[in-house]
């Protein structure tokens, strides 16, 4: 069980690094070197979320080819 969790943590670290590379590549090729715009959504139907969720349509499929990179396997 410990080895499995260690493998999940390593996979999560790799996913975080990959997301950093994706954002850096996007920013270096975009006008003004900006990151992808933030996407807001209704969580409970009345308020907007302030969660840092990027608009995936801007980075897929050119930079982010596997959507599973966004999620940590330990969650």
């Amino acid at each position: 069980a410990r080895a499995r969790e260690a493998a999940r943590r390593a996979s999560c670290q790799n996913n975080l690094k990959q997301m950093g590379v994706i954002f850096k590549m996007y920013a270096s090729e975009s006008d003004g070197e900006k990151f992808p715009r933030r996407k807001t959504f209704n969580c409970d139907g009345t308020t907007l979320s302030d969660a840092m969720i990027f608009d995936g349509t801007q980075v897929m499929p050119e930079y982010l080819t596997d959507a599973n990179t966004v999620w940590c396997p330990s969650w």
Side-chain angles (χ1 to χ4, degrees), residues 9-55:
R9 280 195 310 269
S11 179
C12 191
Q13 287 175 328
N14 289 335
N15 287 353
L16 287 172
K17 181 180 178 185
Q18 185 65 31
M19 290 306 297
V21 170
I22 288 168
F23 289 145
K24 180 66 177 170
M25 286 176 19
Y26 178 86
S28 68
E29 294 180 6
S30 69
D31 293 335
E33 295 192 9
K34 295 180 181 178
F35 289 116
R37 69 180 169 261
R38 200 171 125 200
K39 186 174 183 179
T40 57
F41 59 95
N42 290 340
C43 287
D44 60 2
T46 59
T47 59
L48 290 177
S49 169
D50 61 353
M52 293 301 293
I53 298 172
F54 65 96
D55 188 2

